[in-house]
Structure formats: C-alpha cells, structure tokens
Amino acid sequence: MSKGKVVLAYSGGLDTSCILVWLKEQGYDVITYLANIGQDEDFEAARKKAESLGAKKVFIEDLRTEFVEDFIWPAVQANAVYEDRYLLGTAVARPCIARRQVEIARREGAQYVSHGATGKGNDQIRFELTCYALYPEVKIIAPWRIPEFYNRFRGRTDLMEYKHNYFTTFIFIHGIPVPVTPRAPWSMDANLMHISYESGILENPKSRAPADLYLMTKNPEDSPNVQDVLEIEFKKGVPVKVTNMNDGISKNTALDVFSYLNEIGGKHGVGRIDIVENRFIGMKSRGIYETPGGTVLLKAHLDIETFTMDKEVRRIKQGLGIKFSELVYNGFWYSPECNFVRHCIAKSQENVEGKVQLSVLKGQVYILGRESPKSLYNEELVSMDVQGDYDPCDASGFIRINAVRLREHHRLQGLSSTKQ
Amino acid sequence: MSKGKVVLAYSGGLDTSCILVWLKEQGYDVITYLANIGQDEDFEAARKKAESLGAKKVFIEDLRTEFVEDFIWPAVQANAVYEDRYLLGTAVARPCIARRQVEIARREGAQYVSHGATGKGNDQIRFELTCYALYPEVKIIAPWRIPEFYNRFRGRTDLMEYKHNYFTTFIFIHGIPVPVTPRAPWSMDANLMHISYESGILENPKSRAPADLYLMTKNPEDSPNVQDVLEIEFKKGVPVKVTNMNDGISKNTALDVFSYLNEIGGKHGVGRIDIVENRFIGMKSRGIYETPGGTVLLKAHLDIETFTMDKEVRRIKQGLGIKFSELVYNGFWYSPECNFVRHCIAKSQENVEGKVQLSVLKGQVYILGRESPKSLYNEELVSMDVQGDYDPCDASGFIRINAVRLREHHRLQGLSSTKQ
Amino acid sequence: MSKGKVVLAYSGGLDTSCILVWLKEQGYDVITYLANIGQDEDFEAARKKAESLGAKKVFIEDLRTEFVEDFIWPAVQANAVYEDRYLLGTAVARPCIARRQVEIARREGAQYVSHGATGKGNDQIRFELTCYALYPEVKIIAPWRIPEFYNRFRGRTDLMEYKHNYFTTFIFIHGIPVPVTPRAPWSMDANLMHISYESGILENPKSRAPADLYLMTKNPEDSPNVQDVLEIEFKKGVPVKVTNMNDGISKNTALDVFSYLNEIGGKHGVGRIDIVENRFIGMKSRGIYETPGGTVLLKAHLDIETFTMDKEVRRIKQGLGIKFSELVYNGFWYSPECNFVRHCIAKSQENVEGKVQLSVLKGQVYILGRESPKSLYNEELVSMDVQGDYDPCDASGFIRINAVRLREHHRLQGLSSTKQ
Amino acid sequence: MSKGKVVLAYSGGLDTSCILVWLKEQGYDVITYLANIGQDEDFEAARKKAESLGAKKVFIEDLRTEFVEDFIWPAVQANAVYEDRYLLGTAVARPCIARRQVEIARREGAQYVSHGATGKGNDQIRFELTCYALYPEVKIIAPWRIPEFYNRFRGRTDLMEYKHNYFTTFIFIHGIPVPVTPRAPWSMDANLMHISYESGILENPKSRAPADLYLMTKNPEDSPNVQDVLEIEFKKGVPVKVTNMNDGISKNTALDVFSYLNEIGGKHGVGRIDIVENRFIGMKSRGIYETPGGTVLLKAHLDIETFTMDKEVRRIKQGLGIKFSELVYNGFWYSPECNFVRHCIAKSQENVEGKVQLSVLKGQVYILGRESPKSLYNEELVSMDVQGDYDPCDASGFIRINAVRLREHHRLQGLSSTKQ
C-alpha cells in the first residue's frame, strides 16, 4: 500500500538521491522534480539516475526565463542586498523552484512535497513557506529534520559512506552503475544568479577560501587587464538591452541580457564576497558567493535609479528595498507583505529608464556615465557657471530656518550648563 | 572704521583669495584660517599669500588627528554611506573645519565668519549649520550668495579672468607676485579621507571622467597585479591597528592607520566612484570621488560588525546608520538628533572587536577571514557535520508557525477569488 | 500701470482684508478667492466686503466634497496623526485650498498669488509648496514676510488698530461701512475637519484654555450622558455609510457621512486636544484642536484595518502612514514622495472593508464590535475551546528557534563576564 | 525516583492547579511560584492550595515595585503602544514574572520551569524567551503543548469537568476541600497595569463585551461628572510625583504614583479598549483591555516629551518606540536588540522633565498645560505678537529651496505628458 505521492525537489546529487531511495523505502510514490534555473548540470543524466533509483515520474523544468523575469528583476528593482553585502542569489531561487514544485504536486494529486534542505539552514524555510503559502494543505517531508533519517546519516561525511554502500548494493540489483565521485570539502549551490559555497572547511571563519573554489568567476589576478565597456539600457527599472561597446555585441531578452552580464562579469572576476551572515533561525554562518551579472546590474541600477528618481521617493524606496531583502532572505517571497512591498517598489520604478555606461575590469565595475529621457538631472540648474532658475540668496533663508532648531537647542544647553 | 573682525575659512586657492580681498574692500578685518585636514597643500605658501593679500592674522591648524578620531571614526562605526554609494568624505570634513573656525572666532572676538562655498552646494549648509549650532549669535558672510559679489564673478570662468586682472593690479601695489596658474576644467576638494571632483566638464552626466583626473588612487589598469594582504584590528568598532602581512609593516595610531590604508588603497586604485547624487537643496549633481582608505575600512568594518553583533541589533543600527549618513550629508553633524544617533551607534559598537584579514588588488578589497574574542559565531552550532546544541525538529515548528499567517491569507484570497 | 494680477486667498477676515487693500495700493489687480471648506462663514458678506475693498473679481468656491474625498479620506486611510496626537485638520486643508487657487490663477492669467499666512507658521509653507508644485513659474506675495508690510503691522494687536484707522479713512472714500469687531485673544482656523486655536493667551504653554473657546464640540461635562451607537461601513479603507443605531439615521455620501460624524462627535465632545507641537521651521508651538468626526473615524478605521489587513503589511503601512503625516504636516502633499506614499497606502486598503460598531459618549469613542467579508480573523483558529487547523506542538519549535540567538548572546556575555 | 525539580509559575487558578497535580503525577518535585504584580488575589489562600496540592515549596514574591520601576517605566518612556492601541499591560508583566522564576530555579537547583500559558497565545513565548535568555540551559515544560496533557483537557470546558472529578478523588486522599467555583465565560489576566479579557464569548469579534466585564475601571456612564485635576511631575521621562489639585493628595514613590493613577483613572473609567490584534504566532485575536493609570501616563508623557525633546530626536525615538513595542509584545524583552533600544530610549529621556497638568473625566484625559525647566519651547520666538530672534524673510528662502525639487519634478512630468 502506497502512503501517497510525494514530489521531491531533486538535484541529481548525493543528498536528494539518498532521500529518493529513503522515501521509496518508507512507502511513498516518488515524483522527482528538477528545476533548471541555470545551474551547470547534466539534466538527462539526472533524469536517468532518478528513474534508476525508482522515481515514478521525473519532471525537468526549464525555469530560467521566469527565474530572471519574475525573481531576479524584482531584486534588481529593489537593489536587494541582505546585510549590506549579499545579493540573495539563493534566496530568490527558492520560491521560483518551489512554486513549480507546488504546481506539479497539485497537478499530480500529490499530498506531499519533499526536499533535501538541511535543518539548520535558510532554504528549508524558503521552500516550505512558499509551499504553505501556495498550497496551504500540503504536507512536507523534510528528511534532514526527521531523526530516523538524520540519525542514520549524521553529517555529510556519514552520508557519503552510507550512499556508497547502499549504491553498491543497489547496482547489483538493478545493474545500473551509479558513480560516486569524491566531493569538494564544502557544499555549494549554483544557479543562473550565483554560486554559494559554505560548510566543511569554510566553517572556520578565519580560514581563507581556496583559490580554486570559484567556478563562475575568473580569479581577478588572472583576469584580463583590458576592460570591457558595456552600455545597459533600463526601462521601468529592469535592463532591456546590453551592448558591449568594445565589440558591438548586444542582447535584448531577459535571459540573454542576464546571461551575457554573467559572462562578462565572470570573465573579469566580478562579484565575489566572503561574509558572515545571520540566518533566519538565529545563527551566524559563513558564506562565500560569486554573483557576477547581479553585481554589474546592482551598480548600474543604482546609477540610473538615482538619476531618474526623486530624492525623497528614493529614500522611502530604500527602506522598502531593505525590507524586501530581509523578507526574501527569510523565505517570505510569497507573503502579503512581500507582495505589497514588491508592488510599491515596482511603482517607484516607472520612470527608472535610460542608459548607463560602465566598464568591467579585474573584479570591479566602474560607472562611466548615464543618460535618460526621464532624468531629473538639470545641468543648467546645477551648473557652477550659469545661474539657471535658482537664486542663491534663497539658500541663506533655507539655512537660517534649518538653524532655528539648532540654535534653540544650544540655548537650552547653555542654560543647563550655566546652572551646573 | 572697521566693520569688525571676520574669520575666513581660507583655502589658499583662487576663490577664497578673492573673497579675502573683497572682504577687506568692504571694510572688515580679515583673519584667515586654513585647516590642515590632510589635503596636499603648501601651507607656508598659503600663509604668505594670505598675509600678502592683507590678512590681519593667519591661523593654520593641523586638525588631522581630530579629523580621523572625531569624524572619520564615527562614520566608520556607522558604515556611513549616502545614497548607497558616497562615503561622505567632504561631508565629515566640514563640521571639523567649522568647529575650529568658530573656536577661533570666539577667541578672537570676531562676530563674523565667512567661507567660499557656493550658493548651490551642500558645503555652505554644512559650514553654516555647524557655525550656528556652536556659535548661535554668529553672523555669516557667504559672498557667493551676495549679489554684488557673485554678479561680478558669475561662475568660475569669470572669476579666473577677474582674479587675473585684479592680481595684476595688486602686484604692482604690494610688489608681491601671485601666480595665477591655469586650472583643471573641474573643481575638486581634497582631504585625508577623499578627493571629490565636480563641475566644469563633469556637469554633463554622460561624459566620462578623464583618466588623469584622479590624484589619490592609481588607475586600476596600471596598478600592481600583486595583492597586498592586510590585517586590521578593531576595538569598539574603530581600527586600532593595521598590519601588512606581506612585509610586516604595522601602524597603530588613528592617523597612521588611516594614512596607511590610504596609501595601500591608493596604490591599488581602490575607492573610485562616479555618481549622480541628490543635494540637500533638492537638485541632482554629478560627483566623482576617490576614497581609498575609507573604502577598505568600510568593507572591513562591515565584516567584523556582522561577526560580533547580534542580528536584530544590527538591523536597528543599520537604520540608524542610514539616518546618520543623511544627517551628515545635509550638514547636521552638530544637531541634537545627530548627537543622539552617534551615541546610539557608539553603544552598538561596544563588542565590535577583532581582526579582519583582507586583500587589496586592482581596485577591489576582498575579505579573507576574521576572528574575534567577542564573536557571536558558533562554529559547532552552525556546522553541517555536528549537531551542536540544536534540534532540527524545532525548525518544523518554527516554519509551521511562520506559515500560519500565510496560509490564513491564502484562505482569504481563495474566498475572494471564489466569489468573483 | 498695473503690476499684474494677483489671486489672493481671502478669508473675509481682518488680515486678508488688509492685504487686499495693501496689494491694491502696491499696484496689483486683486482677484480674491475664498474657499468653502466647511468653515462657518457668511460667504456673501465676504464677497461684498471683498468687492467693497476693491477686488477686481471674487471667487467663492465650494470645495467641501473634494476636501473630504481627495484630502480627508487619504488621511483616514493613513491613520494620519502628527507627533502621535494631531490629526492634521489644517494641514490637509491647505493643499485643497491652494490647488484651486492655482487653477484660478492659471485660468485668469495671473502671475501672482498671495495669502495671509504668517512668517512663523506652517501654513505659508503648505500654501506655497502646493503653488510651486502645481504652477512652478508662479510668483508668490507673502505680505507677512515683507518688511514694509509687517513692520507697519507688527503683530495682530497693531494690525487691529491700523485696520481700524485705515478703514475709517477708507469708509469716507467709498462710503461703505466695514465693521471692526473685537476679536478673541487667540487666532483660530476652522474647516470641515477641525478648528485649531493658537497664539495670544494660548502662547503660554502652562495656561489653560478657556472653557468657552471650543466652537465645534460640546464641553464633555455638559454633553449628554447617553451614548450614541454608530455603525460605520468601510470600503477600501474609507467610510461609505454611517448609521445611528439609536434612531436609524443613515448617511452615505462622503460629505454627509463626514458631516454627520462631526455632528455626533461634536454633540458628545469628542476630539479635543491641547498639545505642543513641532513646526516645520523648527520651533515649538502650542495648539488646541477639536476634530470630532476625524477622531471617530480614526478609531473606527484603526479597528477595521487591523481586522482585515495582514499583520506585516500593516507594520510597513504604519511606517508609511507616519511618513505621510510628516509630509502633509510639512506641506508636501503635492510632492513625488507624498504621491508615492499615498499610492502605496491606497494599495494597502484594498481589502479594508466591513462594518464597525462604536459608541460615542462624553468625549470618548468606544469600539463595540466589527464584522467583515474580508476579515483575516479566524474564530476557530484562535479559539481556546477548539484546536482548529493548528498544532500547539509547533509553538515549541517556534520558540526554541527564536531563542537560539538569545541563548547564543547569553553565552557571549557569560564568556565576557568570566574574563573580567 | 524524582525526575527533578520544576518551578511552576502558579496562579492559584484552575489551570495551574491542575498542572501542579499533573507534574507531580509525572514524577517531578514541584516548586510553585506566585508573583504578586498587583493582581487582586488572596495570596495566602493560594499558598495553602498549592501546599495542599503537593507543592514541595511555595514562593510568593512581591514584585510590584520592580514591576513598576523596571518594566512599566521603560514602557512609559517609550510611549509603548502595540498596533496603535494596546498598552502592553500583559506583555510587560511576563518578563518580570519569568525573571524571578528563573532566579528561583537557579537558586533551588531546578532544571525545569513550567507555566500554564496556552499553545496559541503570546504568553508562552514571552515566558519562555525570558527563561531561555536568562537561563539558556533550562528545560521548559509547557503542558498545554503536550498532547498527553492537552488531549485530556481539550479546551477550558473540559478542564473544568476534569478538575472537578480529579479533585474529588484528591480530597479523599488528603482530606482537603478544594472549591471549584463557576467561572466567567471568558479568560482574564490582571496585574497592576491592566486587566485583559479574551476568549469564550469574546471570541466572536462582533459581539459586544458585557457591561459588567470590567473590574478595574468604572463604567463611564456611571462615573462622576466632576473632573479630577492632576499634576504629574516627570524626571528623565518617568513620573516622580503626582498631585491631585482638587484635594492636594500627593504621591511620590513609583508604586504609589502608579497605583494612585490607577485609582483616579479607574474612578473615571479611563483606558478601556476593545481591539482585534495580531499575535506573534500569526493569528488575529480579539482582546479587551482596561489600563487606567497607564493611559493617563501615556498622555502626560507624550505631552512633556514633545515639550522638552528636539523634534528630530523625537522622530527617531518614535521609530524606536514602535520597535520596542513590537519586541515587548513578541516576548523579546530580554534580547540584545531590546536592551539596545531601551538604552537608546533612556538616553533620549535625559531632559524629559517637568510638570503636566491634566484633567480626568468620564473615560477621557485632557491635557491642560505644562511647564519645564528643560523646555525647548520659546514663547517669544513663536509669538505672533513679537518678532523674537527670527527674520520672517528667511522663510521665503526656506520655502523656495524646498520647492526646487518639486518644481523640477513638475518639469519632468510636463515633458512626459507633452510626449504622450
């Protein structure tokens, strides 16, 4: 008797392969689902592996365009950065993946979903809050939080050994060779936006990351010493076109634009950070990230936004962007408040339009200039050489009125100090 | 009959030399005051120039240490950044300069102070709010806002011609040769923290800054391709020591530490930005800044702060830091609210202590690792390989309770959509 | 030769009558404009007075409905309160008045607008920022800031005497009797939303307001000791209907609803406050306000909003409401940021719908109950007597995860104190 | 064999009596702890009851003074209000109670603490976060979240029946009669600051609260129609003295001042609210509160604070106060961020000093006047009748500079609309 259907977010890797087999052991019909969000993966090999391990159905879904348009673009509009540094590459991917997982579960009549996220991390929360928000009656199986599972495979070292044994046995039964390759001494998560590295030898916050860790960006020491100059065109706060001024190459669909920025950013080693961050569950963790295209876009968007947006609107929007970043980091993409904030931020972007020129070199992005039909920049008004529609005498009154309060405060302090 | 004494913030440059002469013409006794806040200047030449132009007294004050300790350090603690990019190098210098100016004015019995800041800029506000806050009854003469002055010298081009003529005449009377050198087609402001460039050909926001504009940082294309590795030690959120791990050079006074970070940052081309920013008076302006040491410190401080500070304290402090940045940018360093915010931020920094290792290369700063006796990072707790004092089952409840609200919201939406 | 046309915001009172005459003396063609925003005024008498004093044209405009719908309703949606107490009755009226003034000025080809607001107050700013925002090239004549005017009429005492004399003379020329009545020893400003009282004997912050000062609300000591019970129905965060449950009286247009709430609130002495507030120009002033209908609505709206709005949306919206209140107080109704904030707040109100029952008695409003088709309240979920779709065990995990950080912090403190 | 010692927060009521017996059944040595925080309780009867039910030790602790000084006073300084209405009377009591509970547990060598808070409420969180923060290794027994307990006693109705039966049996063994009195059809929580009412018939958000529900405040319809006039003196933002101007009665210790304000507030029916609020766990609940003294103090403190605090400091402090309120509501009194916020708020109160006069009548508090040696109110500066140290011409410049941005924005909009 089957316990029912479960849709497992399957990565093709060690952990979720192991979970697949374990779920089957427990009596579930397992449907695997693998989202293509731009990670470097042999999807057909993963399909075969899943089938060979006993998946009843295998879904492999190309979500790259919707990942860029529905998740990365709002983050660009928001200048989304968590704790002043992290561009949220994993956090924006999770609701994208889980949204489709839930769609499949509903379509396939599955009451259960499952994933391989660990019990100490943020991803379990991001996956599950998305699932609960979009499919409130769903039941979630998180093996890394189930003692009978995790006590057998405590930590990744044990898991590797177990898997090896298990699969050895397994091969004999089904006759399918499953390669067990030695793994890097850290865990990583890759998608179109970034690769993150954590755990293992990186858990010591003092130890340096190995130079060969990075897969998405060239080491800046080895990157070319000749800059690429790009022109990025924005409409409503999102890039609609990128042109390389060196060679004239140009892209104009969401996926192409973002992929090309990854390519150029990666070539020049842009977007590497090594941080200690605060997880939602209240512990600090050390993470290393490389976000080449996202970093280029963040700088370009900041530039065109300030060029076209009113100062005070931007100040309010800055606060909303920080809120958005926290919400996304914590897994609340599909929440009423994140919907609300996204709506407000999108509203603020209506006039964020124009072209930014920038150069990319040796890990850095340099803004070179910008232009916009919606600019609020008034060259004549600000000029030191012409007066424009501005009377400098007004500034005297402005300053003196701003000083009223400061002078009053001094008066009080004076009275206080006199008494003492 | 003298109209009284005026203390003029004198830079030794064209504008304030001109103002000096003009104030004398108007009948004031002019005391010039030149603050050494680390700019590259021939102070003795400036003294002679001021004396030759008729200054009654000349004060040249070395404020470098107090500039670092009283103004840059609080900005470091605050992670002070205006509009997500500008490190406020000019804004933090102004209250430092004006504070001493007011002290001199009080000491010399001067009722007036004067400065050469223009009528469209932020600096007039920063100077004057400081003066009014610390010397409420002071009278301020801002020639660039006085029509009879600025109508004679409309814009800097005219000023240059006028000055030339005037000084030619002047030379004949006093017999002192005053060199009138051709100037760059932009204006700049330099101090220990940064150099800013604006106006002139930079007013066109699309035009690129010339490669030879930068004086404080090497062009990254020409900077060495070999990194310097630094270890910066913090106590209470400010650096107390820097050591170069390549050669063992070490500095441990405020001024030495900051100067050395400038040197290394400058050597590697760190801290250049080209932005359009929003002035307090409501116009957008284009500015180019280079802040080598400040940029290194911002990155290092962000790292040690997150390592040692509670997540939620940091979130509140982040908001205070943004507020601080706006206040400082707008000239309110000496205001009750900025005092309050500085106090709160300083309080938050009590445990921000430890060492950050970082490398500097080709315009970038890379954090390599960190350690601290006050760290809130718990390697065992966060480890993927050991359980630590943590029960992963708890996360299920945590997530489900966080989902209560999201599921309720879905329920309402479901009801709504059913009705429609 | 006329200097041109000026549209004067004319109140029919002493100050603006005086300004009318003075503007004529200065050579302007004066068009008076008197907005009916619900104040108790003999508009026809004002028209005659203006004509008799030399107005070229007289506009008397009934803005009551647009005042309620375009200005009071957004304030209700925002729960707009300045400095925790003031409901902004004057502040929301000013942009309403000035908007029409500017329309008239454009239509009549007038380059100038003028008003009788004083040079120390907020209203000058509210009027003028609205004018500049909607008619950027307009020129504003603010006689109370023009020395030749205000030096003649320093303070209201002098003005009264001057006016008396002037008008005596004036009467002889035109033969029109202009009554100069003795005035209360304070100034007041009335509209549909509130009456404010300030200045004169109220300037002493310790002195109590006279019992007979209030015109819009009954003294609570003298108000009935029998409550009225109202049911207010909201849609999209604004009231669409009010019903008196005592007598069945019901109103359902914006103006009628608000007027009726004023009537009932006034009858029961609701909405009186005596505060010291901070003006935009940086001085503290003492103001006394009575806002009967607005106070009833604030309480009712708070209730229905919390009933129907998600907690976290509300938290963000609360911050936007505070920002809105500051902007409106400071005169920035017609600013990009206030437009933005209003848009966001309106978005938050989409589901703020339902009925609130409340009683009004002796200066107080008591919420009695509420119901809504859009409620997020789930009686079964929250019940102490049934479990609902809720597992109390989840709360253990929720609490323990929330405690992770607190326990870590304690660990650090313990280490610190051990060392000391 | 005993499982160990448990300190039970014992109320003397039905639930915790039942828990006491159940814990004993489970094999724990039960120490009961009953905090006197001002609730109306027969403490000696509770002691006897606990002893008769098998408590090994009974602690009854008078925490009233520390409750006022350490918990209510910081809330007064913060103007603490949750969701614009609730004064947090229960939320501030919980950390006070749990702090002592943990002290007793440490002193008595108890590894366990227990409480009777339900699994759907906020109090479980407030109790337990305090315990974990102050005693990280403690183990918490929350019977209402333990299925074997709550399945036996699902809901309060069942509990009452069970208790009756159980105690009948129990009486036979020990010979002690335990009276089971009929209960009100809602639950209530009382302390010095307030009484809250919820659950039972109040769970229907539309139904009105019965008139006889309130125990702490007189029904305003029945309260005297003669006001009491009080003068409250503040130092550092907390009341140090209250004087009744009608009869000269005066109080000057923390507990006496607060109790007297409760007496007068209660006599006049002050501080009743009926709200729907958002619990931390994400559900909405309906609560009715009466907070007589706290409401009087909130109004008085708001008045003296605005009188003595700089405008911009207050604005920042207002945000901190909202944050404080959320933290306290959610149970984070003993958290790093709440410590930080309390410190900052206390700093802001240094000059909040002076006397406020107010009247209390029929459910309302009316501020009459205020005076302070630290006032920032400048009667001359603000006067309409004298100029003070203020030049109204300055306001023209102030307004025009503030309009620069608005006019620029209009220019852009004009360009946009022309194009369309």
Side-chain angles (χ1 to χ4, degrees), chain D residues 63-222:
Chain D
L63 307 181
R64 287 176 303 158
T65 291
E66 65 189 66
F67 179 40
V68 175
E69 290 181 345
D70 297 354
F71 295 88
I72 297 178
W73 278 184
V76 169
Q77 290 181 314
N79 304 322
V81 181
Y82 181 69
E83 294 188 338
D84 292 317
R85 288 155 301 164
Y86 170 40
L87 272 68
L88 295 161
T90 299
V92 296
R94 295 299 173 248
C96 177
I97 297 169
R99 177 171 73 172
R100 181 62 62 94
Q101 185 174 11
V102 157
E103 284 169 22
I104 292 171
R106 284 189 182 278
R107 209 191 309 139
E108 298 291 321
Q111 281 185 289
Y112 298 89
V113 295
S114 182
H115 61 75
T118 69
K120 287 181 173 176
N122 292 308
D123 283 340
Q124 55 178 343
I125 308 171
R126 295 166 183 156
F127 272 122
E128 298 182 21
L129 290 184
T130 299
C131 292
Y132 285 131
L134 300 180
Y135 187 4
E137 59 278 27
V138 76
K139 286 173 193 141
I140 295 172
I141 301 169
W144 282 115
R145 296 198 309 259
I146 298 173
E148 54 191 272
F149 182 88
Y150 72 73
N151 282 333
R152 257 158 80 190
F153 319 119
R154 189 181 299 274
R156 288 156 180 277
T157 322
D158 297 352
L159 179 63
M160 203 146 91
E161 290 170 23
Y162 160 83
K163 183 83 182 274
H164 186 70
N165 295 332
Y166 186 91
F167 274 37
T168 306
T169 307
F170 187 79
I171 286 164
F172 276 89
I173 295 169
H174 295 287
I176 299 158
V178 180
V180 176
T181 55
R183 296 159 25 119
W186 53 75
S187 79
M188 59 173 265
D189 180 72
N191 64 45
L192 198 59
M193 190 165 173
H194 87 343
I195 301 181
S196 71
Y197 309 88
E198 57 175 16
S199 306
I201 60 167
L202 304 176
E203 284 172 1
N204 179 344
K206 195 185 171 185
S207 70
R208 299 187 193 175
D212 63 350
L213 170 137
Y214 302 94
L215 301 179
M216 206 169 176
T217 57
K218 193 98 180 167
N219 188 330
E221 282 179 341
D222 307 327

Side-chain angles (χ1 to χ4, degrees), chain C residues 84-85 119-120 145 154 203 208 284 306 309 314 337 357 377 383 386-387 390 396 405, chain D residues 84-85 119-120 145 154 203 208 284 306 309 314 337 357 377 381 383 386-387 390 396 405:
Chain C
D84 293 316
R85 290 158 298 164
K120 287 182 174 176
R145 297 199 309 260
R154 189 181 298 273
E203 283 171 1
R208 299 187 194 175
K284 291 183 187 293
T306 317
M309 191 181 289
R314 196 182 177 283
E337 66 273 27
Q357 288 209 1
Y377 182 94
S383 173
V386 293
Q387 188 164 346
Y390 181 83
S396 302
R405 191 170 55 83
Chain D
D84 292 317
R85 288 155 301 164
K120 287 181 173 176
R145 296 198 309 259
R154 189 181 299 274
E203 284 172 1
R208 299 187 193 175
K284 291 184 187 291
T306 316
M309 190 180 290
R314 197 183 177 283
E337 66 273 26
Q357 290 210 0
Y377 182 94
L381 178 65
S383 173
V386 294
Q387 187 162 347
Y390 181 83
S396 303
R405 190 171 54 84

Side-chain angles (χ1 to χ4, degrees), chain C residues 68-107:
Chain C
V68 176
E69 291 181 343
D70 297 353
F71 296 89
I72 297 178
W73 278 184
V76 169
Q77 290 181 315
N79 304 322
V81 180
Y82 181 69
E83 293 186 340
D84 293 316
R85 290 158 298 164
Y86 169 41
L87 271 68
L88 296 162
T90 299
V92 296
R94 294 298 173 248
C96 176
I97 297 170
R99 176 172 73 171
R100 181 62 63 92
Q101 184 174 11
V102 157
E103 283 169 20
I104 292 171
R106 283 190 182 278
R107 208 191 311 138

Side-chain angles (χ1 to χ4, degrees), chain B residues 266-331:
Chain B
K267 168 185 166 189
H268 291 285
V270 166
R272 295 178 168 194
I273 58 167
D274 177 331
I275 65 170
V276 169
E277 74 197 55
N278 288 294
R279 290 189 185 157
F280 187 23
I281 53 169
M283 53 180 74
K284 291 184 187 291
S285 71
R286 195 257 196 107
I288 291 168
Y289 303 95
E290 47 183 351
T291 317
T295 302
V296 175
L297 269 180
L298 173 62
K299 299 235 174 180
H301 183 267
L302 278 171
D303 191 77
I304 196 69
E305 183 177 273
T306 317
F307 196 50
T308 53
M309 189 181 289
D310 173 78
K311 168 170 83 155
E312 296 300 326
V313 173
R314 195 181 178 285
R315 195 163 293 184
I316 298 164
K317 185 258 172 185
Q318 182 184 25
L320 294 171
I322 290 172
K323 187 71 194 167
F324 174 79
S325 304
E326 293 169 2
L327 290 170
V328 171
Y329 185 87
N330 289 346

